[in-house]
Amino acid sequence: DGVFPCMAESQQTFNCGETLALDVDEKILLHGTSSDNADAIVREGFDHRTCQNGLYGLGVYFACAACKSHQYTCEHFKGPQHRRLNHACERTLIIARVALGDSYVATGTRKNDRRPPLRSDSSLGTYDSIMVKPGLITGHQNQEQIHQEHVIFDREQAYPCFVVQYRL
């Protein structure tokens, strides 16, 4: 996130015994989901085709900050509008290895995108992922992004390492 260096400092701690691949900007990131979805992710991998909505495209979302991923861990109340609710249900976070590659840095929302945007030289194809940094974001309901987020659109870019379940 840049605010709390915990995840940045712990990258090699959660690497599943394999050094992170720096040439593809591989990171350890968090994904909040339900227990049922976590089982499917462990069996079949992260699948962007199941995404129903998202400010930065119809992809799979990851964050560095547990509080951001926590917003999506309860089946009854999902999303940032419910962040203050501490509904008693089982919560699930997945700690994942994510190959971000060459990330497009978003300055505005990209709600209907199904892939990262084309590079300025379109002969080079699309970017590999989308990164959203904290700060002002055009089209955001609050005009501001609080946490850094990453969006991928290819199931081969992420591997679920650990599933963490907890209750509040």
Side-chain angles (χ1 to χ4, degrees):
D1 244 1
V3 178
F4 302 103
C6 179
M7 283 299 289
E9 292 171 358
S10 301
Q11 290 291 300
Q12 293 301 332
T13 303
F14 293 110
N15 66 8
C16 302
E18 292 288 328
T19 304
L20 295 174
L22 301 179
D23 59 328
V24 292
D25 196 23
E26 188 177 23
K27 304 272 190 230
I28 300 294
L29 297 171
L30 304 170
H31 178 80
T33 190
S34 68
S35 179
D36 288 343
N37 285 346
D39 288 342
I41 290 167
V42 168
R43 280 192 318 274
E44 302 160 17
F46 292 98
D47 190 348
H48 71 282
R49 297 173 299 177
T50 63
C51 180
Q52 296 173 0
N53 59 46
L55 283 178
Y56 307 107
L58 300 174
V60 179
Y61 285 67
F62 297 90
C64 311
C67 61
K68 179 62 182 176
S69 294
H70 171 79
Q71 295 172 8
Y72 301 92
T73 60
C74 182
E75 292 184 26
H76 305 291
F77 301 102
K78 290 185 179 177
Q81 67 273 24
H82 299 293
R83 68 177 161 254
R84 291 197 172 87
L85 294 177
N86 288 326
H87 181 74
C89 67
E90 186 171 81
R91 309 290 184 132
T92 306
L93 278 178
I94 296 176
I95 301 172
R97 293 178 69 129
V98 185
L100 299 171
D102 185 17
S103 296
Y104 171 81
V105 179
T107 56
T109 58
R110 309 186 64 82
K111 292 182 183 179
N112 296 316
D113 286 7
R114 295 188 175 276
R115 65 181 191 173
L118 284 170
R119 299 170 196 272
S120 53
D121 178 352
S122 61
S123 69
L124 298 175
T126 65
Y127 285 90
D128 301 312
S129 64
I130 294 176
M131 178 192 335
V132 189
K133 295 181 178 180
L136 297 177
I137 296 290
T138 304
H140 192 286
Q141 64 265 23
N142 299 324
Q143 283 73 51
E144 183 178 19
Q145 176 76 20
I146 304 300
H147 300 287
Q148 184 167 303
E149 291 184 78
H150 303 273
V151 188
I152 62 166
F153 300 84
D154 182 339
R155 67 185 326 140
E156 303 299 322
Q157 285 179 261
Y159 175 78
C161 296
F162 302 100
V163 176
V164 179
Q165 294 182 309
Y166 60 100
R167 281 191 175 274
L168 292 180

